[in-house]
Amino acid sequence: MTTPNIDDKGLPEHCLSLRVASDWGHFRRVGRTATKQTYRMIPRTTVAGLLAAIVGEPRDSYYETFGEDVSAIAITPESELRTINMPMTSVGTDPSEATTQTAGSRRSQLVRYQDTRAPRQIHVYETLVDPVYRLDVAVEDEEFYTQLRRHLKNGTSHYPPSLGLSEHLARVELLNSSSEPTPVTGDEPVIIDAAVPGTLKNVVPQAGVECVTERSAAVMEGIGGGRRTTRFDDLVFTPTPDTGVKVAPSALDWPVASVGDKTVVFR
Amino acid sequence: MSSPDFPRSEMLFVTDAQDCNPNGNPLAEDRPRRDPETGQGIVTDVRLKRYLRDQLLDDGYGVYVKKVDGESQGRKTLTLDILDEISEASDIEEVEDIGKKFLSRATDVRYFGAALTFESSDDDDDDKLQNALQGAFPNQYQGPVQFLPAKSLNKVEENQDYDSLTSVIATDDENRQGGFGLDDHRIVYGIFPFYGLVDENAAADTNLTKDDVERLDTLCWRALKNQPTSRSKLGQTPRLYLRVVYEEGKYHTGNLHNMIDLADESSDPLRSIDDVVVTVDSLCDRLETEKERIDKIRFVGDSRFTLSRGGETFGADEIGEKLHLNTEQINVYKERDLADE
């Protein structure tokens, strides 16, 4: 099997389909410190990190592999995306988390933050409960794709995969090592199972179906021993399984396709 | 990165908690952690690792995350407690291979990793020291040993009988009577399967050794026996420990904790270990299908913990006989590895 070619619209000719799951998950929202809120939908960049862990790529080494023109990923939630709060006491003194205890002027309301410089700090993690995602993944990097498929077929992983925090050990199941996406086009709305990039204005409301939106990191690049996000995606999805987002494929800038029994959007 | 000298292994560690608070939520009146939707009790990996660290200390090993002089401390003090030859910035240059020395003494960091970031200080000397420490270590050691937070197999109930504890000694000299409303929330009973994994590749980063990994076989058990000593923690017991050692790295079965469940023969609700029967059919079947990849299974079980396979019930200490695999029973006290010995 050759490495998949990804066409100009972003649709791969074939892809790997897998399921990742854990009892817990935490994908830390950017800009939060003392309270660590989580994205409901695993960010595209986290998927890249998870797959790189399976292959054994070192930190900050795989961003080009998951660049926007050479990779295609569709993420479909397969569980209710429910969270609970998990306060944790940990050893403190992270200078980047030092915050003031009060904020605002005399006239404004006093705001108190946790003193994160204290020896022990309580961090509240908003934690996903039993998250399950299906991933449809293609990258043009031949070496990476070959290694990834080999690991998934053998059930092996260089580093054990996890969903966000390293203690949230994940289970990975290969569903299909050569899924062939069938394009779905047209102006007629279809039910899309995966997270849909875009805004709510494209969504056709359905009775009893809740749609939520999130904006999370999608593509990163390495810079001088570090990294930076070069693209964020707004995502629309339903937080309950077995319901989807109703959108006309023509309203999206991204390719819609049927992969197995799912209708997904590659991005 | 050097090659690990041991393969991957993974652990299933079942403990229970009766009339106690196995893990309080500090932001909810220290009530036992519970999933409000399913009613399952929760014990975090942080709580389990505290027991393991405390047992390491009792066994004579150096531990990084601990109280120093009876008080919680920040990272600088904890680091200097491990590297006691350092008191100022210039001392750091005198220590050869400081990272290696730190890891050789901080046993818990070899297992669980640690963040090593240090804040700046208004005091010049202190600032120099913190900067020098920051330069001497990576920001973080990723732990090769990970445990998932455990969810109980049963719905747990809070035991209302303990809510109204009153202290018999006055809380202050001015007070004429003891305090009322001392929060003391406990669960009636919960049985918690922890799932853990030893990552042989990450082990190279923290210098985790084969001996360290083998130490877990008695450490987990003894920690749960010995360390829940405070009033709210008494009542926890280790019931079953399995460590599946693979033939080679990069492979693990995963999800072992979700392959056991309460059998129909269990009482409802559960009140003690005598009410519990756990079916291990899925677990044993799955492990046996992995036979070619498994080197051995090290185990220890409590005879009071009843397991069931194929309708037959037996004590957890007999699971080695029921598994058609290479099993080794752990002698928890004979095999214990103490630093002073």
Side-chain angles (χ1 to χ4, degrees), chain A residues 238-260:
Chain A
T238 57
T240 48
D242 305 324
T243 57
V245 180
K246 197 169 185 181
V247 184
S250 58
L252 301 175
D253 295 332
W254 313 88
V256 180
S258 292
V259 183

Side-chain angles (χ1 to χ4, degrees), chain A residues 25-29 36-40 83 126-128 214:
Chain A
H26 177 81
F27 312 117
R28 185 176 167 180
R29 283 179 183 262
K36 299 176 193 307
Q37 296 183 353
T38 180
Y39 295 110
R40 266 59 174 168
T83 66
E126 186 196 24
T127 309
L128 287 155
E214 270 182 5

Side-chain angles (χ1 to χ4, degrees), chain B residues 268-334:
Chain B
D268 186 20
L270 302 179
R271 189 69 185 82
S272 78
I273 192 65
D274 297 332
D275 298 336
V276 177
V277 181
V278 162
T279 139
V280 292
D281 293 76
S282 298
L283 174 74
C284 295
D285 291 350
R286 181 63 197 270
L287 290 175
E288 283 167 3
T289 63
E290 307 276 357
K291 190 170 189 170
E292 299 303 316
R293 291 177 126 152
I294 292 173
D295 173 21
K296 62 186 171 186
I297 295 180
R298 303 261 296 149
F299 77 97
V300 54
D302 181 345
S303 59
R304 284 188 64 196
F305 180 26
T306 305
L307 305 179
S308 131
R309 185 180 190 193
E312 179 197 358
T313 59
F314 51 92
D317 56 332
E318 298 174 54
I319 192 166
E321 299 159 30
K322 307 298 175 185
L323 270 168
H324 302 113
L325 291 162
N326 178 24
T327 56
E328 288 178 4
Q329 187 153 11
I330 300 161
N331 187 325
V332 175
Y333 292 98
K334 199 170 180 182

